[in-house]
Amino acid sequence: MPGDHRPPTRVRVLLAEDQGMMRGALALLLGMEEDMEVVAQVAAGDAIVDAALTHRPDVALLDIELPGMSGLDAAAELRRQLPRCRVLILTTFGRPGYLRRAMEAGAAGFLVKDGPVEELAAAIRRVLDGETVIDPALAAAALSAGPNPLTARECDALKASADGATVADIAARLHLSESTVRNYLSSAIGKTGTRNRMEAMREARRQGWL
């Protein structure tokens, strides 16, 4: 007797994307896959972990640049609090540094958003099967780019200077001395081959190191 041919269990997907139109389109398209169900949609990074703990997705699709918390930071927190949830980074910004940071955060895949939804659905199934799925062009670029030359503290100093903060402001935020902050910023400027800390910050962001 004919009936519903959908599989008895469906892949539960959490979707984190701050652009409403993109988020809605992805949810609609993935929902059309017979073996998938979007169980949660969030627009901010700091909502990801709570939504995941509530809805228990099998896969979390995370953008990187989100308000509140980056998708990379959320991926690391998901690995700690919900290790069975596989993370797939889906971003507009195919930066080599982002790929390295995503893998360090425990992501199972990294894709850029301009691919067809069929490839995304296939990638979701593959990461659930235990595979690691990475955009081939980005993987090649990451290998040629080399590792992030900045230390964690140099990155912190650059991030803290993003709003034009003074050295004194940065020192207060990071609980460091002003001379230590100057040393970190000077080192970051040298490593990025730039002329000042604002240029260094922009270059580090362009490379995906921040």
Side-chain angles (χ1 to χ4, degrees):
M1 181 175 178
D4 188 353
H5 294 288
R6 291 182 184 276
T9 59
R10 306 176 75 191
V11 179
R12 297 171 60 82
V13 178
L14 178 148
L15 181 58
E17 164 63 57
D18 62 334
Q19 296 182 26
M21 186 175 294
M22 173 68 76
R23 187 173 65 250
L26 282 173
L28 179 63
L29 291 169
L30 289 174
M32 294 172 68
E33 297 289 322
E34 69 172 12
D35 59 342
M36 294 184 189
E37 177 183 7
V38 177
V39 295
Q41 300 180 47
V42 299
D46 49 10
I48 291 171
V49 174
D50 284 347
L53 291 173
T54 298
H55 297 280
R56 301 284 167 167
D58 302 303
V59 177
L61 294 182
L62 309 183
D63 192 7
I64 290 178
E65 298 194 353
L66 294 167
M69 175 188 286
S70 77
L72 298 175
D73 290 335
E77 192 63 20
L78 279 176
R79 178 174 60 175
R80 188 178 73 83
Q81 296 201 42
L82 201 66
R84 296 188 65 178
C85 176
R86 302 283 278 171
V87 173
L88 186 58
I89 299 293
L90 186 64
T91 183
T92 303
F93 305 101
R95 296 169 181 167
Y98 279 167
L99 172 56
R100 288 181 177 274
R101 289 169 61 199
M103 296 300 103
E104 290 168 0
F110 195 110
L111 297 175
V112 292
K113 291 180 182 176
D114 59 1
V117 71
E118 293 82 7
E119 288 186 9
L120 176 58
I124 290 171
R125 298 182 186 104
R126 288 173 62 190
V127 298
L128 275 179
D129 285 339
E131 295 184 45
T132 298
V133 182
I134 299 173
D135 179 88
L138 185 57
L143 288 173
S144 63
N148 178 2
L150 302 175
T151 66
R153 273 310 202 179
E154 289 164 357
C155 288
D156 289 342
L158 287 179
K159 289 176 185 176
S161 68
D163 58 358
T166 66
V167 170
D169 292 335
I170 298 169
R173 290 176 188 174
L174 300 180
H175 307 290
L176 299 170
S177 69
E178 292 184 26
S179 62
T180 299
V181 168
R182 289 191 184 93
N183 287 338
Y184 285 144
L185 291 173
S186 177
S187 178
I189 290 166
K191 289 178 179 179
T192 55
T194 53
R195 296 173 296 180
N196 55 57
R197 59 186 166 124
M198 297 309 292
E199 287 186 5
M201 183 196 65
R202 285 193 292 269
E203 176 62 16
R205 287 195 183 282
R206 188 184 71 80
Q207 294 287 348
W209 297 332
L210 296 184

